[in-house]
Amino acid sequence: MTTNADLRARRLDAVARGVVSATPIFAVRARNAELWDANGKRYIDFAAGIAVCNTGHCHPRVIAAVQDQCELFTHTAFQVIAYEAYIGLAERLNTLAPIEDAKSIFFSTGAEAVENAVKVARIATGRQGLIAFHGAFHGRTILASALVGKTAPYKAGLGPPPAGVFHAPFPRPHHGVTVEDALAGLEMIFRVDIEARDVAAIIIEPVQGEGGFHQAPTEFMQALRAICDQHGIVLICDEVQSGFARTGTMFAMEHSGVEPDLMTVAKALAGGFPISGLVGKRSIIDSPVPGSLGGTFGGNPVACAAAHAAISVIEEEQLCDRSRQIGARMVARLDAMKARNDVAPVGDIRGVGAMVAFDLIRERGGNTPNPEAVAALRAKALENGLILLACGDQGSSVRLLAPLTIPDDHLEEGLDILEASLSEIAT
C-alpha cells in the first residue's frame, strides 16, 4: 500500500517547492465532510479545499452532472464553438449577483478573474491606478500578487510591484483600525500618491480571506461606493472565497446592500471543479473590444455543468440558511472554549455565516498574536482527525470552513476535536 510517507518523498523529489501543502497527508477519498488519507485514516474536513466544497466533497448532483456532460463533449473552447451550459450559467449568475443589468464571463482561476476585472476597469475608465487593502489576498499571478496586502510569501523575490498599485488600511477595530482610520488612509493615498481621477479601480474582499476573515463594515462599504461614484472609480468586489452561501447569503456583498461594479467569483462556484467568473454592470464589462477577453479553458463545459448542479444544490438544500446555522453553532462553541482556563488562550472570535475564524493569543485577555500556537493546534487537530487552516497577517488565526452540507454529528465531532486539541496544546 502506498502511504503518506511514500507520497511525501515522491512529492519532494518531483514537485516544485513553491507550492506548499498545508498538511502532510495525501487524500485518497472524500465524501461530504469526511476525508480519508493514504494511510486509511479518517478526518473531519474543516477546510473544504479552501471554501471550494461548500456543497461537500463529491455531492451526487454535481458528480452526476459532470458524468452526463462528459458523455457529450469535454472541450471545444468557447471562443471556437460556444455551448448552452456557458450561456445558461451566465444567465443564472447575472440573476443571482447583487448587480443590476449584469453580464458575465468565465475563466479558470480566481487570480485570472481578478486580472480580467482589472483589465476591464482600466479599459472602461482609461486609467491605470489600482487601490487594494492591507491584508488582502487576490491571487498569485504577477498583478494579482501586487494587489495582495501582504509581502511574504506572495511577493518574495519579485522586486518592486507593477506601477500604480497602492494599499489602504482595512478596518479592524480590535486591532485599532477604525472605519475612520481606513477612510483617512484612503484619502492620504489620494493626497500623496495618486490623484483620484487617475484611479481605475478599488478592489476589496467584503470578508477578507487569507487576511483573517475580517468583514468590511457596512458603513465602510457605503463610503467606498460613494467615493467611487464621486470620482468615477470602478468598485471591484472579490467574492472568490466568500461567495456561494459561505457567509449565509449567496454573496457576502448582500450583507452591506452595496452594489459593486464588478465582482469576481470562483472556488465554490462549481463544487470542486475549476472555474471562475467575472460579473459586472453591462456598461462596464462590455468595454473591452471583442476578442480581448477569454481563455482556452475558461468556462469549460464540464465545469459549467458542475456549476449548474452546485448552484441548484445551494438553492434547493437551502444552504444559505444552513450556513447561518453552522456559523452560529461554531461561534457558540468557540465562546465556550474561550471561557475555559485550561485551553490555549483564545482571542477575537468572528464569523459571517459559516465563514468563521478565531485568534490564538499569548496571554488570556491580551491581544498579542500567537502563530506558534496556531501551528501547534493545527498539527494536534490533524493528529486527532480534524483538518484546519490558518489565516491572518501572521498566521495567528484559525479559520473554520466546513462544508455547508456537513451533518450535525460530524459538525459536533469536529468541534469536539478542536476543543480537545486546544486543551492538549495548553499542557
Side-chain angles (χ1 to χ4, degrees):
M1 181 183 78
T2 301
T3 66
N4 287 327
D6 297 330
L7 291 170
R8 194 173 306 119
R10 289 169 55 189
R11 180 199 193 287
L12 290 172
D13 184 58
V15 179
R17 71 170 190 161
V19 58
V20 173
S21 298
T23 65
I25 64 174
F26 294 79
V28 296
R29 184 167 64 94
R31 289 294 182 275
N32 203 353
E34 298 174 283
L35 182 144
W36 289 263
D37 71 7
N39 290 356
K41 183 173 179 177
R42 170 187 172 272
Y43 302 84
I44 299 296
D45 187 0
F46 273 17
I50 319 179
V52 166
C53 298
N54 286 3
T55 53
H57 291 286
C58 298
H59 192 288
R61 289 278 297 275
V62 174
I63 298 303
V66 166
Q67 290 172 335
D68 289 345
Q69 181 59 48
C70 285
E71 291 293 329
L72 300 174
F73 60 94
T74 61
H75 178 74
T76 63
F78 191 76
Q79 298 93 281
V80 178
I81 302 173
Y83 35 90
E84 185 178 5
Y86 187 118
I87 298 166
L89 185 59
E91 290 170 338
R92 291 185 82 171
L93 187 56
N94 296 343
T95 300
L96 290 170
I99 300 175
E100 189 175 351
D101 194 25
K103 295 182 78 173
S104 296
I105 182 171
F106 298 106
F107 307 101
S108 301
T109 68
E112 195 178 357
V114 168
E115 294 262 355
N116 279 276
V118 169
K119 187 175 184 179
V120 169
R122 284 178 164 174
I123 292 171
T125 62
R127 308 171 182 179
Q128 295 297 305
L130 303 168
I131 296 176
F133 292 90
H134 299 170
F137 182 83
H138 298 292
R140 292 178 175 87
T141 54
I142 293 292
L143 180 57
S145 62
L147 295 168
V148 170
K150 177 180 179 180
T151 301
Y154 309 111
K155 306 179 189 182
L158 287 177
V165 178
F166 305 92
H167 289 86
F170 189 91
R172 297 182 183 181
H174 76 285
H175 285 166
V177 182
T178 65
V179 169
E180 292 75 18
D181 294 332
L183 291 173
L186 181 59
E187 290 298 328
M188 184 64 71
I189 290 174
F190 292 151
R191 288 202 300 273
V192 305
D193 291 317
I194 184 171
E195 287 186 285
R197 66 179 179 178
D198 291 325
V199 175
I202 294 175
I203 183 168
I204 187 170
E205 299 162 278
V207 183
Q208 288 195 330
E210 298 290 322
F213 285 22
H214 300 280
Q215 184 180 15
T218 295
E219 60 267 35
F220 186 65
M221 294 304 305
Q222 292 172 340
L224 289 184
R225 180 71 273 175
I227 290 168
C228 288
D229 290 341
Q230 177 184 355
H231 297 291
I233 298 169
V234 173
L235 179 61
I236 304 172
C237 288
D238 184 338
E239 291 262 12
V240 167
Q241 188 166 164
S242 59
F244 300 101
R246 175 51 59 182
T247 68
T249 53
M250 188 62 79
F251 299 104
M253 284 302 298
E254 296 175 58
H255 293 287
S256 69
V258 170
E259 181 180 358
D261 298 308
L262 297 172
M263 188 175 76
T264 59
V265 296
K267 290 193 183 292
L269 170 57
F273 288 80
I275 186 172
S276 66
L278 175 65
V279 56
K281 293 179 180 177
R282 183 183 303 261
S283 59
I284 294 175
I285 202 170
D286 271 348
S287 297
V289 299
S292 62
L293 301 180
T296 301
F297 293 103
N300 171 270
V302 177
C304 283
H308 277 289
I311 292 172
S312 294
V313 169
I314 291 170
E315 293 174 335
E316 294 170 20
E317 297 188 14
Q318 301 179 347
L319 294 190
C320 288
D321 291 341
R322 179 60 177 160
S323 175
R324 292 190 290 271
Q325 294 166 5
I326 291 170
R329 183 57 182 159
M330 285 179 168
V331 170
R333 287 289 304 270
L334 287 169
D335 283 336
M337 295 177 207
K338 182 176 181 177
R340 290 179 52 175
N341 293 320
D342 59 342
V343 302
V346 175
D348 187 58
I349 298 167
R350 51 198 174 272
V352 193
M355 193 170 181
V356 175
F358 64 95
D359 297 335
L360 291 185
I361 51 180
R362 297 200 179 276
E363 55 184 26
R364 216 167 301 281
N367 201 31
T368 304
N370 193 349
E372 296 84 6
V374 169
L377 174 63
R378 291 184 56 248
K380 180 57 67 174
L382 192 71
E383 179 185 321
N384 292 337
L386 176 66
I387 300 169
L388 296 174
L389 293 175
C391 62
D393 295 344
Q394 302 179 51
S396 57
S397 302
V398 179
R399 50 180 153 174
L400 306 183
L401 290 167
L404 305 181
T405 50
I406 187 171
D408 284 340
D409 58 341
H410 290 166
L411 175 62
E412 295 301 330
E413 181 182 356
L415 292 170
D416 288 344
I417 294 172
L418 174 60
E419 186 165 11
S421 300
L422 277 170
S423 178
E424 289 180 60
I425 68 167
T427 58

